[in-house]
Amino acid sequence: MHKRRIITLAIAILALVLGILYALYQGGNSNNNSALPNQQGGNNSSMLPNAPPKVDPIAEQLKTMSLEEKVGQLVIVGTDGYEINENTQRLIQTYHVGGFILFQKNIRDTQQMLDLVNSLKKTNAINETPLFLALDEEGGRVSRMPADLQKMPTSQKVGKQNNPDLANRVGEILGQELKAFGMNVDFAPVLDIFSNPQNTVIGDRAFGSTSELVSELGIQTMQGIQAQSIIPVVKHFPGHGDTTVDSHVGLPKVEYDLERLKNFELIPFSNAIAQDADAIMLAHILIPQLDPDYPASFSKTLITDILRDDMGFEGVVITDDMTMGAILENYEIGQAAVKSLQAGSDIVLVCHDFAKEEAVLQAILTAARTGEISTGKIDKSVYRVLALKKKYALSNQSVESVDVQKINAKIAKLYEDYPALK
């Protein structure tokens, strides 16, 4: 009897030991599995003690850039003539500018335009960051394409068709035109609502007079441009449709309050942001009820408080041309550029006059060196610029030739399918 108890006790102890060993074995396997993210149930990579930290290539590039290189990325400039000159080379090699915009004064014919674009890229090969190469290509009267390409219809004519598929197709062709020349930024579409018949600066550049129509067709055009790997820049925030003064000549003023803007002018921009707008252009418009001192292009209230914070836009914010009369007749251009960056913009556009372009670059550099523009602000804006260039895979690669007939055939088919666009 005593012997049987001893045997029973021994079996119980053995079972207990085996149970403990089994539990330890299972626990060890569970820990191993959780540390292997590629095995079933193992998706917690934080358990890996030796996992390499995730590298942000844009942040790494920022660390290697000089202050001059960073400041250059915050400015897009124009150039004179049909070929690059000493001033153009200086803007690229000394100031490391972020990009160029071309105008009709830069375009004689298809081959010359292609040669100019390719030479800008070749000259920029000394810089790690490729250039933004931009045009105002809206269709209608705002077009920079050579004369041997057919003209695209105005946004107003597109708007009268009230057809989202048509608007998307128009955007695709606009994008294809730029892509054919190796360009990468289109300052379009216009999201201004044409609510004032006396407004000649917008006029037929707008899709229509209601926020719904402008939103739908503007966004479709934006997406058509994006589909061709071209960056669309929607404009002119917070809305240029109800002005009578042309900002190329003077400073327009509108007596709106915030409620009016939110219920009308801002609707297309808000909808575009919700549909992943990449970049927004600021208008030179003074809205005294919101900011009595500064136009939208360098108003902290409009850029940071409304566009960034209230509307949640995290993309690239760029000014309209700082050499327009709205600025030159009322402000010193260098300080206006500094003020714009301080207020929340990322890129200052300076389209004409090398002396003014250099003045802007020098003013921003000085402000950055003295801390008038903080290092954090500079880095945040440069990060946005580099991220956008990376998203669209910008490069300095040349384009060999342009198939004009192919583009014209697509435009001709557009008019054939929609005769009312003529």
Coordinates of all heavy atoms in Angstrom, one line a residue, residues 64-118:
T64 N 22.1 66.9 -46.1 CA 23.3 67.1 -46.9 C 23.2 68.4 -47.7 O 24.2 68.8 -48.3 CB 23.4 66.0 -48.0 OG1 22.4 66.1 -48.9 CG2 23.4 64.6 -47.3
M65 N 22.1 69.1 -47.6 CA 22.0 70.4 -48.4 C 22.5 71.6 -47.7 O 22.3 71.7 -46.5 CB 20.5 70.6 -48.8 CG 19.9 69.5 -49.7 SD 18.1 69.7 -50.0 CE 18.1 71.1 -51.0
S66 N 23.1 72.5 -48.4 CA 23.6 73.7 -47.9 C 22.4 74.7 -47.7 O 21.3 74.4 -48.4 CB 24.6 74.4 -48.8 OG 24.0 74.8 -50.0
L67 N 22.5 75.8 -47.0 CA 21.4 76.7 -46.9 C 21.1 77.3 -48.2 O 19.9 77.5 -48.6 CB 21.8 77.8 -45.9 CG 20.7 78.9 -45.6 CD1 19.5 78.2 -45.0 CD2 21.3 80.0 -44.7
E68 N 22.1 77.6 -49.1 CA 21.9 78.1 -50.4 C 21.1 77.2 -51.2 O 20.2 77.6 -52.0 CB 23.2 78.4 -51.1 CG 24.0 79.6 -50.5 CD 24.7 79.3 -49.2 OE1 24.8 78.1 -48.8 OE2 25.2 80.2 -48.6
E69 N 21.4 75.9 -51.1 CA 20.6 74.9 -51.9 C 19.1 74.8 -51.4 O 18.2 74.7 -52.2 CB 21.3 73.5 -51.8 CG 22.6 73.4 -52.6 CD 23.3 72.1 -52.3 OE1 23.3 71.7 -51.1 OE2 23.9 71.6 -53.2
K70 N 19.0 74.9 -50.1 CA 17.6 74.9 -49.6 C 16.8 76.1 -50.0 O 15.6 75.9 -50.5 CB 17.6 74.8 -48.1 CG 18.1 73.5 -47.5 CD 18.2 73.5 -46.0 CE 18.7 72.2 -45.4 NZ 18.8 72.3 -43.9
V71 N 17.4 77.3 -49.9 CA 16.7 78.5 -50.3 C 16.3 78.5 -51.8 O 15.2 78.9 -52.2 CB 17.5 79.7 -49.9 CG1 17.0 81.0 -50.6 CG2 17.5 79.9 -48.4
G72 N 17.3 78.0 -52.6 CA 17.0 77.9 -54.0 C 15.8 77.1 -54.4 O 15.0 77.4 -55.3
Q73 N 15.5 76.0 -53.6 CA 14.3 75.2 -53.9 C 13.0 75.9 -53.6 O 11.9 75.5 -54.0 CB 14.4 73.9 -53.0 CG 15.5 72.9 -53.5 CD 15.3 72.5 -54.9 OE1 14.3 72.1 -55.3 NE2 16.4 72.7 -55.7
L74 N 13.1 77.0 -52.9 CA 11.9 77.8 -52.5 C 11.5 78.9 -53.5 O 10.6 79.7 -53.3 CB 12.0 78.4 -51.1 CG 12.4 77.4 -50.0 CD1 12.5 78.1 -48.7 CD2 11.5 76.2 -50.0
V75 N 12.2 78.9 -54.7 CA 12.0 79.9 -55.7 C 11.9 79.3 -57.1 O 12.8 78.5 -57.5 CB 13.1 81.0 -55.7 CG1 12.8 82.1 -56.7 CG2 13.3 81.6 -54.3
I76 N 10.9 79.7 -57.8 CA 10.8 79.4 -59.3 C 10.9 80.7 -60.0 O 10.3 81.7 -59.7 CB 9.5 78.7 -59.6 CG1 9.4 77.2 -59.0 CG2 9.2 78.6 -61.1 CD1 8.1 76.5 -59.2
V77 N 11.7 80.7 -61.1 CA 12.1 81.9 -61.8 C 11.7 81.8 -63.3 O 11.5 80.7 -63.8 CB 13.6 82.2 -61.6 CG1 13.9 82.5 -60.2 CG2 14.4 81.1 -62.2
G78 N 11.8 82.9 -64.0 CA 11.7 82.9 -65.4 C 13.0 83.1 -66.0 O 14.0 83.3 -65.3
T79 N 13.1 83.1 -67.3 CA 14.3 83.4 -68.1 C 14.0 84.2 -69.3 O 12.9 84.2 -69.8 CB 15.0 82.0 -68.4 OG1 16.3 82.3 -69.1 CG2 14.2 81.2 -69.4
D80 N 15.0 84.9 -69.9 CA 14.8 85.7 -71.0 C 15.2 85.0 -72.3 O 16.2 84.2 -72.3 CB 15.6 87.0 -70.9 CG 15.0 87.9 -69.8 OD1 13.7 87.9 -69.6 OD2 15.8 88.6 -69.1
G81 N 14.5 85.2 -73.4 CA 15.0 84.7 -74.7 C 14.7 83.3 -75.0 O 14.0 82.6 -74.2
Y82 N 15.2 82.8 -76.1 CA 15.0 81.5 -76.6 C 16.1 80.5 -76.1 O 15.9 79.3 -76.3 CB 14.9 81.5 -78.1 CG 13.8 82.3 -78.7 CD1 14.1 83.2 -79.7 CD2 12.5 82.2 -78.2 CE1 13.0 83.9 -80.3 CE2 11.5 83.0 -78.7 CZ 11.8 83.8 -79.8 OH 10.7 84.6 -80.3
E83 N 17.1 81.0 -75.6 CA 18.2 80.1 -75.1 C 18.7 80.5 -73.7 O 18.4 81.6 -73.3 CB 19.4 80.2 -76.1 CG 19.1 79.8 -77.5 CD 20.3 80.1 -78.4 OE1 21.3 80.8 -78.0 OE2 20.3 79.6 -79.6
I84 N 19.3 79.6 -73.0 CA 19.8 80.0 -71.7 C 21.0 80.9 -71.9 O 21.7 80.9 -72.9 CB 20.3 78.7 -70.9 CG1 21.4 78.0 -71.5 CG2 19.1 77.8 -70.6 CD1 22.0 76.9 -70.6
N85 N 21.1 81.8 -70.9 CA 22.2 82.8 -70.9 C 23.0 82.8 -69.6 O 22.8 81.9 -68.8 CB 21.6 84.2 -71.2 CG 20.5 84.5 -70.3 OD1 20.5 84.2 -69.1 ND2 19.5 85.3 -70.7
E86 N 23.9 83.8 -69.4 CA 24.7 83.8 -68.2 C 23.8 83.9 -67.0 O 24.1 83.3 -65.9 CB 25.6 85.0 -68.3 CG 26.8 84.8 -69.2 CD 27.8 85.9 -69.1 OE1 27.8 86.6 -68.1 OE2 28.6 86.1 -70.0
N87 N 22.7 84.7 -67.1 CA 21.9 84.9 -65.9 C 21.2 83.6 -65.5 O 21.1 83.2 -64.4 CB 20.8 86.0 -66.1 CG 21.4 87.3 -66.2 OD1 22.5 87.6 -65.7 ND2 20.7 88.3 -66.8
T88 N 20.8 82.8 -66.6 CA 20.1 81.5 -66.3 C 21.1 80.6 -65.7 O 20.7 79.9 -64.7 CB 19.6 80.9 -67.7 OG1 18.9 81.9 -68.4 CG2 18.7 79.7 -67.4
Q89 N 22.3 80.5 -66.2 CA 23.3 79.7 -65.6 C 23.6 80.0 -64.1 O 23.8 79.2 -63.3 CB 24.6 79.7 -66.4 CG 24.5 79.1 -67.8 CD 25.7 79.3 -68.7 OE1 26.4 80.3 -68.5 NE2 26.0 78.3 -69.5
R90 N 23.6 81.3 -63.9 CA 23.9 81.8 -62.5 C 22.7 81.4 -61.6 O 23.0 80.9 -60.4 CB 24.1 83.3 -62.5 CG 24.4 83.9 -61.1 CD 24.8 85.3 -61.2 NE 24.9 86.0 -59.9 CZ 25.9 85.9 -59.1 NH1 26.9 85.1 -59.4 NH2 25.9 86.5 -57.9
L91 N 21.5 81.5 -62.0 CA 20.4 81.1 -61.2 C 20.4 79.6 -60.9 O 20.1 79.2 -59.8 CB 19.1 81.4 -62.0 CG 18.7 82.9 -62.1 CD1 17.6 83.1 -63.1 CD2 18.3 83.4 -60.7
I92 N 20.9 78.8 -61.8 CA 21.0 77.3 -61.6 C 22.3 77.0 -60.8 O 22.2 76.2 -59.8 CB 21.1 76.6 -62.9 CG1 19.7 76.7 -63.7 CG2 21.4 75.1 -62.7 CD1 19.7 76.2 -65.1
Q93 N 23.4 77.5 -61.2 CA 24.7 77.0 -60.6 C 25.0 77.7 -59.3 O 25.6 77.1 -58.4 CB 25.8 77.3 -61.6 CG 25.6 76.4 -62.9 CD 26.6 76.8 -64.0 OE1 27.3 77.8 -63.9 NE2 26.6 76.0 -65.1
T94 N 24.7 79.0 -59.1 CA 25.0 79.7 -57.9 C 23.8 79.7 -56.9 O 24.0 79.4 -55.7 CB 25.3 81.2 -58.2 OG1 26.4 81.2 -59.1 CG2 25.7 81.9 -56.9
Y95 N 22.6 79.9 -57.4 CA 21.4 79.9 -56.5 C 20.7 78.6 -56.4 O 19.8 78.5 -55.6 CB 20.5 81.1 -57.0 CG 21.1 82.5 -56.8 CD1 21.5 83.2 -57.8 CD2 21.2 83.0 -55.5 CE1 22.1 84.5 -57.6 CE2 21.7 84.3 -55.3 CZ 22.2 85.0 -56.4 OH 22.7 86.3 -56.2
H96 N 20.9 77.7 -57.3 CA 20.3 76.3 -57.2 C 18.8 76.4 -57.2 O 18.1 75.8 -56.4 CB 20.8 75.6 -55.9 CG 22.2 75.7 -55.7 ND1 23.1 74.9 -56.4 CD2 23.0 76.4 -54.8 CE1 24.4 75.2 -56.0 NE2 24.3 76.1 -55.0
V97 N 18.2 77.3 -58.1 CA 16.8 77.5 -58.1 C 16.0 76.2 -58.2 O 16.4 75.3 -58.9 CB 16.3 78.6 -59.1 CG1 16.9 79.9 -58.8 CG2 16.8 78.1 -60.5
G98 N 14.8 76.2 -57.7 CA 13.9 75.0 -57.7 C 13.3 74.8 -59.1 O 12.9 73.6 -59.3
G99 N 13.2 75.8 -59.9 CA 12.6 75.6 -61.2 C 12.5 76.8 -62.1 O 12.8 77.9 -61.6
F100 N 11.9 76.6 -63.3 CA 11.7 77.7 -64.2 C 10.3 77.6 -64.8 O 9.7 76.6 -64.9 CB 12.7 77.6 -65.4 CG 14.1 78.0 -65.1 CD1 15.0 77.1 -64.5 CD2 14.6 79.3 -65.3 CE1 16.3 77.5 -64.2 CE2 15.8 79.6 -65.0 CZ 16.7 78.8 -64.4
I101 N 9.8 78.8 -65.1 CA 8.5 78.9 -65.8 C 8.8 79.6 -67.2 O 9.6 80.5 -67.3 CB 7.5 79.7 -65.1 CG1 6.2 79.9 -65.9 CG2 8.0 81.1 -64.6 CD1 5.0 80.5 -65.1
L102 N 8.2 79.0 -68.2 CA 8.4 79.5 -69.6 C 7.2 80.3 -70.0 O 6.1 80.0 -69.7 CB 8.7 78.4 -70.6 CG 10.0 77.5 -70.3 CD1 10.2 76.5 -71.4 CD2 11.2 78.4 -70.1
F103 N 7.4 81.3 -70.9 CA 6.4 82.2 -71.4 C 6.5 82.2 -72.9 O 7.4 81.6 -73.5 CB 6.4 83.6 -70.8 CG 6.0 83.7 -69.4 CD1 7.0 83.5 -68.4 CD2 4.7 83.9 -69.0 CE1 6.6 83.6 -67.1 CE2 4.4 83.9 -67.7 CZ 5.3 83.8 -66.7
Q104 N 5.6 82.9 -73.6 CA 5.6 82.9 -75.0 C 6.9 83.6 -75.5 O 7.4 83.2 -76.6 CB 4.4 83.8 -75.5 CG 3.9 83.3 -76.9 CD 3.3 81.9 -76.9 OE1 2.4 81.6 -76.2 NE2 3.9 81.0 -77.7
K105 N 7.5 84.5 -74.7 CA 8.8 85.1 -75.1 C 9.9 84.1 -75.2 O 11.0 84.4 -75.7 CB 9.1 86.2 -74.1 CG 9.4 85.7 -72.7 CD 9.8 86.8 -71.7 CE 10.2 86.3 -70.4 NZ 10.6 87.3 -69.4
N106 N 9.7 82.9 -74.6 CA 10.7 81.9 -74.6 C 10.5 80.8 -75.7 O 11.3 79.9 -75.8 CB 10.8 81.2 -73.2 CG 11.0 82.1 -72.1 OD1 10.1 82.2 -71.2 ND2 12.1 82.9 -72.1
I107 N 9.4 81.0 -76.4 CA 9.0 79.9 -77.3 C 8.8 80.4 -78.8 O 7.9 81.2 -79.0 CB 7.7 79.2 -76.8 CG1 8.0 78.6 -75.4 CG2 7.3 78.1 -77.8 CD1 6.8 78.2 -74.7
R108 N 9.7 80.0 -79.6 CA 9.6 80.3 -81.1 C 9.0 79.2 -81.9 O 8.1 79.5 -82.7 CB 11.0 80.6 -81.6 CG 11.1 81.1 -83.1 CD 12.5 81.4 -83.5 NE 13.4 80.2 -83.4 CZ 14.5 80.3 -82.7 NH1 15.0 81.4 -82.2 NH2 15.3 79.2 -82.7
D109 N 9.4 78.0 -81.6 CA 8.8 76.9 -82.4 C 9.1 75.6 -81.5 O 9.7 75.6 -80.5 CB 9.4 76.7 -83.8 CG 10.9 76.7 -83.8 OD1 11.5 75.9 -83.0 OD2 11.5 77.5 -84.5
T110 N 8.6 74.5 -82.0 CA 8.6 73.2 -81.3 C 10.1 72.8 -81.0 O 10.4 72.5 -79.8 CB 7.9 72.1 -82.1 OG1 6.5 72.4 -82.2 CG2 8.1 70.8 -81.3
Q111 N 11.0 72.8 -82.0 CA 12.3 72.3 -81.8 C 13.1 73.3 -80.8 O 13.8 72.8 -80.0 CB 13.1 72.2 -83.1 CG 14.4 71.6 -83.0 CD 14.4 70.2 -82.4 OE1 13.6 69.3 -82.9 NE2 15.2 69.9 -81.4
Q112 N 12.9 74.6 -81.0 CA 13.6 75.5 -80.1 C 13.1 75.3 -78.7 O 13.9 75.4 -77.7 CB 13.3 77.0 -80.6 CG 13.8 78.0 -79.6 CD 12.8 78.4 -78.6 OE1 11.5 78.4 -78.8 NE2 13.2 78.7 -77.4
M113 N 11.8 75.2 -78.5 CA 11.3 75.0 -77.1 C 11.9 73.7 -76.5 O 12.3 73.7 -75.3 CB 9.8 74.9 -77.1 CG 9.1 74.7 -75.7 SD 7.3 74.6 -75.8 CE 6.9 74.1 -74.1
L114 N 11.9 72.6 -77.3 CA 12.5 71.4 -76.8 C 14.0 71.6 -76.4 O 14.4 71.1 -75.4 CB 12.3 70.3 -77.8 CG 12.8 68.9 -77.4 CD1 12.1 68.4 -76.2 CD2 12.7 67.9 -78.6
D115 N 14.7 72.3 -77.3 CA 16.1 72.5 -77.0 C 16.3 73.3 -75.7 O 17.3 73.0 -75.0 CB 16.8 73.2 -78.2 CG 16.9 72.4 -79.4 OD1 16.8 71.1 -79.3 OD2 17.1 72.9 -80.5
L116 N 15.5 74.3 -75.5 CA 15.6 75.1 -74.3 C 15.3 74.3 -73.1 O 16.1 74.4 -72.1 CB 14.6 76.3 -74.4 CG 14.5 77.2 -73.1 CD1 15.9 77.8 -72.8 CD2 13.5 78.3 -73.3
V117 N 14.3 73.5 -73.1 CA 14.0 72.6 -71.9 C 15.1 71.7 -71.6 O 15.6 71.5 -70.5 CB 12.7 71.9 -72.1 CG1 12.4 70.9 -71.0 CG2 11.5 72.9 -72.2
N118 N 15.6 71.1 -72.7 CA 16.7 70.1 -72.5 C 18.0 70.8 -72.0 O 18.7 70.2 -71.2 CB 17.0 69.4 -73.9 CG 16.0 68.3 -74.2 OD1 15.3 67.8 -73.3 ND2 15.9 68.0 -75.5

